Amino acid sequence: KTAAQIVEIMKVMEPRHPVVMATRVSAEKSVEIRAALPQATYFEMARICAIQPPAPLQVRPGKLSILTAGTADLPVAEEAAVTAELCGFQVTRLWDVGVAGIHRLLSNRHVIDQSDVLIVAAGMEGALPSVVAGLADCPVIAVPTSVGYGASFNGLAPLLTMLNSCATGIG
């Protein structure tokens, strides 16, 4: 969508919804959107432009944690984190805890144990959601990213790994 189209959509939605957001917004488009809608906020890493209520939403129950295998997965993970926060959830972030440095994941086992839902973003071979699901007793939402080198095939390899996981509780 163009910036003008996003502005028009947000103007129509704002009176009807407490939070209005547009995802995958470039920094350039955000400048145009915020010029027309000064109440909008741009979350650069997440690439989200949002209009929020003046008072924060009531905090929703439950503990949501978002994990990334590597730092290259951050934009996708931040998109999920900011979306959840805009909807009233408290989010714990664990970045760069992939299987290449499994000690970083295991040293944060308490976060996994205390979570009600885990969102796990990974590129490359996409193994992290399976490892996390093997440790967790809550739902794990596996999110493949298109980052990686070698045979990741722009995200196809992690997607197939996640679809073929033998760990229970992965969606």
Side-chain angles (χ1 to χ4, degrees):
K1 293 180 178 40
T2 66
Q5 290 169 328
I6 294 169
V7 167
E8 288 308 309
I9 292 167
M10 293 180 98
K11 282 182 179 178
V12 169
M13 292 182 73
E14 184 178 16
R16 297 180 174 108
H17 301 281
V19 175
V20 179
M21 68 179 163
T23 59
R24 304 292 167 109
V25 175
S26 68
E28 297 78 25
K29 283 184 187 176
S30 77
V31 172
E32 292 180 59
I33 294 166
R34 288 183 294 147
L37 299 168
Q39 70 275 33
T41 303
Y42 184 61
F43 300 88
E44 186 173 5
M45 177 69 74
R47 299 171 296 170
I48 291 176
C49 199
I51 299 173
Q52 303 170 67
L57 293 176
Q58 182 177 355
V59 175
R60 294 183 184 265
K63 295 187 180 196
L64 173 64
S65 297
I66 303 178
L67 295 72
T68 67
T71 55
D73 304 311
L74 285 175
V76 172
E78 266 301 305
E79 183 179 5
V82 169
T83 298
E85 288 172 338
L86 288 170
C87 293
F89 291 96
Q90 291 184 327
V91 175
T92 299
R93 292 164 168 84
L94 286 180
W95 298 161
D96 199 20
V97 293
V99 297
I102 197 80
H103 62 284
R104 294 185 301 259
L105 176 67
L106 297 176
S107 68
N108 285 287
R109 177 72 192 263
H110 63 284
V111 174
I112 294 168
D113 293 340
Q114 295 168 357
S115 297
D116 296 307
V117 175
L118 295 156
I119 298 174
V120 184
M124 295 296 291
E125 80 287 349
L128 184 61
S130 294
V131 172
V132 170
L135 298 170
D137 64 354
C138 65
V140 174
I141 301 169
V143 182
T145 66
S146 58
V147 297
Y149 49 84
S152 69
F153 300 109
N154 294 318
L156 181 59
L159 171 64
L160 294 174
T161 297
M162 292 172 193
L163 289 172
N164 287 308
S165 176
C166 64
T168 59
I170 293 183

